[in-house]
Amino acid sequence: MKRCIIYISIVLMSLSTWAQTQDDDQREVYNDAENAYIIGRVEQVQELLGDRVAFFKGTLKQSAYRLLALANLELDKQEEAEQYVRSLLRENPYYSTVPDDPQRFVDMVEDIKSGMGATITTASSKAENLNESPVPVTLITEEMIRNSGGRNLKEVLMAYVPGMLSVDCNDDINMAMRSIYSAGQEKILFMLNGHRLNSYSTNVAAPDFSLSLEKVKQIEVLRGPASSLYGGVALSAVVNIITKQGADMDGFKVKGSLGNYGQVRGDLLFGKRYFDLDVLTWGSIYKAKGERFFVPSMFSGTGGSGDIIVGGVGNKPSYDFGLTLNWNGFSFMYDTHFSQIISPYTFSYTFSPYSYDLYHTFRGMSPGYGTKSSHADLSYTKNWGDLTLKASVTYDSSDMMRYNIVTELPTEDALSEVLGTSEYLDSLLTDIPGIYRYLDGQDRNYGVQLKGDYSYQLNKSHQGVLSFGMHYNKFEMIDSKFILGGYYDITLLDVTDVSTFAKGKEHSLDAFVQLKHTWNNFIFNAGLRFDSKKRFDDHVVRELSPRIALIYIQPKWNAKLSYSKSFVDAPYYYRKTNLMLKETRNLESEILHSLQLTVQAVNPLPGLTVELNGFYNVADRLIYPRGWMNANAGTGKSLGAELSVEYKTNRFKANLSMEAVKVLDAEYFDKKMHHMLNVPSMSGSAVFAWQPLRGLTLHTHLSAIGTQYVYYTNYQTTLVFEELVDGRLLMDLGADYRIGRMEFSFNVNNLFNKNYKQSGLGTGEVQQQSRWFLGSVAYKF
C-alpha cells in the first residue's frame, strides 16, 4: 500500500509540474488582476480577465470568475456581477463563500444558489438541479446533518430518506431500502466524491462511525435502481458523500465529544485554498464501551443466559482519515477508515449471549465484524469547448475480519446440519464449550476509467448532454485465514489451505452511454450500461442495465416517470465460501426492476416543497444465507409510496419523510410470504429545527415505525418462524450554540428510554440502545 501511495504521489507531482509550466502565463495575468483589485483599480480587472477567463482551468478559473464578480460589484454593475457568479457556480456547484468576502457578494451567491435550486451531480453524472434528476433524489445538507442529531451516517439517512430503515445483523450496522436488505449492507452503493466505498470482495459498506460526518458538505441519495450509471451494488439506492472543499473551511477546526457508555470522539479538519490549489484533510476517531443488557435463558437460542453488549465498538476505535487535493483540473483523494462492532450474540442459528471477556483476540480484535479499507483516486478533467473528458485511476484495498462465536454451551446437536459444514466437524466440536470461528481476507482492486460529456444545442428549444464512459477493474484476493477453535481460546483447526484456496483474480469491464435532451418544458433522460465480469472460475457474467425517464417541468411543480433495472453480482466471498463447502451451483447476480412516478410541488406556499413518489419493484434471485452457505433463494414484488416534505422560514425548518409498502408476492427459500420480514409496512420521520436566539439552534428528531414481522430460525430444524412486533415512536433532542469561533452541541438519542428490539437477516431479535447522549465542544482557528 505504501508503495502504491508513493507511485501515485510521484505521478501527481509530475503531472502537477507539467500543469504548472503550462499555466504560468494565466497565473501571472490573474495575479496582475488581483493586485489591481487590491489597490482599487477595479476597471483593470475586466480588461485583464474578461477575454481570457474562458481559457483558464480548474480552481484558477473559479478564482477569476469570483474576482470579476467582485470587481463588477464595486462598479455597481449588478447584472454583470450576477453573470460571473452564475459562471462560477456552473464551474463548481458546491462553491461556498469565505468569511472575508464582502456581504454583497455573499448574498448574491446565496440568492443565485437558491434561485438555481439545489444542485447535485450523482443522478446524471453531471451537475443538474433536483427537479431535472431522472429519479427521486434526497439531498441532505450540512445544516440538515446537524439538525438531525445523527451520530453516524446511518442515523442521518434514516432521518431524511423515505424507505431507509434500520435492520440488525448482529455484528454490523445495517440498513434496508424499500424492504430490500441482506446480512451485511450489500445492496446500497456508498460513494465518497463519486468513488466507490463498497468492498470488492464482500460488497459491504457499513454507514457507521468509520465515515466521519464533519468533512461532509452534502449527501446525495438516489432512491431506486442506479446500475445504468454505477453498475453492480447500486441495486436499491446510491449514497454519494460530497466532502467540503478547502475554501469552505478556510482554517483549522478541532472538536472533542464525550458521552455515556464510554463514548469518546475526536475530530480534526483543515482546509485552505491557495490560488488554484484547494486542500482538505480530516481525521476522526470514535470509541464506545457499549451498553450491557441481561438476557434470560427463555430468550436464548441454546438455553444459555447472560449479558450482551449493544453499541460497543470493540478493542480498537473506529477511525476515518483522508485528504483531497484539487489543482488545475487534477483531483486527488485518499481515504482510509476502520470500523469494528461488537457482536451482542453468538452465531445466528445458536443466537445466545456469550462471555465476551473470556475469548482471546485475533490481531487485536474481539468477537465481531471489523473492516479496514483504503481508497485512492487520481483524476484529470479537461474541457475542449462543449466536450469535457475525465480520466481516472483508482486503488482500493480491504482487510475484512469476521470473528464469530458459534456456540458457548457444549452441544450434542449436529452443527453440520445448520452450518453447512462437514460431518468431520461434528466429531471435532461435540461437547466442547466456547466454540468460535475466525475468518479474515485481504483484497485489492485497481481501476481505470474514462468519462466524457458532450453538450449540444440544436436551437433555442432543443439542447442536451451526451455522456459516455468506460471502466476497467482488476480485483485480487491476496490472502485469507480460517481458524476454528474451542474452550474459548484454543485453536482446534487452522485450515492453512484456505489461504491458497481463497486467492483469486477477477476482471471486469463496463461501458455506459446516457442522453439527456431538453426541449421546452420536457426532459428525456435515457441511459444504458453493459457490465462484463470474468470470475475467478472463468465463468463470465454479463448484465445490461437500462434506464429511461421522462420529466415535465413547470415553475411551481414537476413530474417524472421512469423505469430502471439494476443488479449486484454475487460477492466473491460468498462464492468462494460456497465452493469451499462443496456447493457446486454458481451464485447468480441479484436483479431489481423498478417503475417510479414522482410529482413535486415547489413553493405552493412560501417555503414549502412537497414530493410524492410511487414505485413498483420486482426483485429476483435475491441472495439469502443458510448457515455458512448462500443461495439465490428470494424473490419479491412490492408496491410503495414515499412522501417528502420540507418547510422553512428564517428561523424554523421542518423535514418530513414517510413510506408505505405493500408486498404483493414474496418468496424466501420456497416459503411464500405476504409481508417483508423485519421492516414495517409503514414508517415515518420528522426533523424540526428552531433558532430562538442568534447562534442557538434547538432541534428534535421523531421516528415512527409501524408493526412489523420479525423472524427467527430454530437451531435444530432451521425452520423460519414469524412473530408480529408492535410499532414504536422514538424521539431525539439536541441543541447547538455558536459564539465567535466556539461551537457547543448536546444531543440525546431515545430521549424517553424506549425499550425495543430489532431483527435482521439470519439473526433473532437484538436489544437496541436505550438513552444515549453525547456532548461536543469545537473551536475553529
Side-chain angles (χ1 to χ4, degrees), residues 202-472:
T202 65
N203 287 347
V204 169
D208 55 23
F209 293 97
S210 67
L211 295 173
S212 162
L213 295 176
E214 288 297 317
K215 67 177 183 292
V216 179
K217 184 175 183 67
Q218 67 183 45
I219 304 170
E220 301 171 2
V221 183
L222 305 188
R223 308 196 316 263
S227 289
S228 63
L229 275 180
Y230 299 107
V233 187
L235 188 77
S236 58
V238 173
V239 177
N240 191 11
I241 303 166
I242 307 297
T243 62
K244 300 173 183 176
Q245 293 193 336
D248 298 327
M249 282 300 303
D250 194 35
F252 181 78
K253 181 180 179 181
V254 58
K255 183 177 181 179
S257 308
L258 291 174
N260 59 346
Y261 301 114
Q263 292 182 92
V264 179
R265 172 182 280 172
D267 293 279
L268 297 173
L269 199 63
F270 171 77
K272 204 76 176 175
R273 177 173 291 170
Y274 306 95
F275 295 103
D276 52 352
L277 173 64
D278 189 274
V279 181
L280 179 74
T281 183
W282 64 86
S284 176
I285 61 170
Y286 176 81
K287 187 77 171 67
K289 293 181 180 179
E291 184 178 4
R292 288 184 179 265
F293 293 92
F294 177 76
V295 177
S297 59
M298 62 182 296
F299 297 112
S300 170
T302 57
S305 62
D307 287 344
I308 63 170
I309 299 175
V310 176
V313 169
N315 303 69
K316 300 179 179 180
S318 295
Y319 63 76
D320 181 14
F321 297 98
L323 167 72
T324 64
L325 298 172
N326 293 281
W327 192 358
N328 291 327
F330 292 97
S331 295
F332 175 71
M333 183 202 75
Y334 176 75
D335 178 74
T336 182
H337 53 262
F338 169 81
S339 67
Q340 178 195 352
I341 304 299
I342 295 176
S343 301
Y345 289 94
T346 61
F347 184 72
S348 302
Y349 290 97
T350 57
F351 199 71
S352 300
Y354 62 95
S355 305
Y356 173 80
D357 298 323
L358 292 182
Y359 292 87
H360 69 115
T361 61
F362 285 96
R363 298 171 59 187
M365 196 186 97
S366 54
Y369 180 54
T371 303
K372 177 184 177 183
S373 60
S374 299
H375 309 273
D377 190 312
L378 174 65
S379 65
Y380 178 67
T381 303
K382 177 70 175 178
N383 294 316
W384 288 277
D386 295 327
L387 177 64
T388 301
L389 289 179
K390 179 180 179 180
S392 306
V393 292
T394 60
Y395 173 82
D396 302 271
S397 68
S398 178
D399 190 349
M400 178 271 294
M401 297 150 281
R402 189 176 289 276
Y403 185 3
N404 301 115
I405 307 304
V406 179
T407 178
E408 182 156 300
L409 297 179
T411 177
E412 296 179 358
D413 298 310
L415 289 173
S416 60
E417 293 183 10
V418 294
L419 300 181
T421 55
S422 67
E423 295 183 1
Y424 164 71
L425 292 182
D426 290 342
S427 61
L428 182 67
L429 302 177
T430 300
D431 296 328
I432 291 178
I435 299 173
Y436 61 85
R437 175 192 73 160
Y438 173 79
L439 175 70
D440 70 21
Q442 295 81 46
D443 66 73
R444 60 192 177 196
N445 186 86
Y446 303 92
V448 179
Q449 185 179 44
L450 178 65
K451 294 175 62 177
D453 296 293
Y454 176 71
S455 302
Y456 64 87
Q457 182 168 356
L458 304 180
N459 52 48
K460 291 184 178 180
S461 299
H462 291 269
Q463 57 187 340
V465 178
L466 178 66
S467 302
F468 53 90
M470 295 185 66
H471 191 194
Y472 169 76

Side-chain angles (χ1 to χ4, degrees), residues 651-671:
R651 291 194 173 188
F652 178 77
K653 186 170 185 178
N655 292 88
L656 171 69
S657 62
M658 298 180 66
E659 186 202 41
V661 179
K662 171 65 176 176
V663 175
L664 305 177
D665 181 36
E667 187 175 296
Y668 173 84
F669 279 109
D670 299 323
K671 178 181 175 61

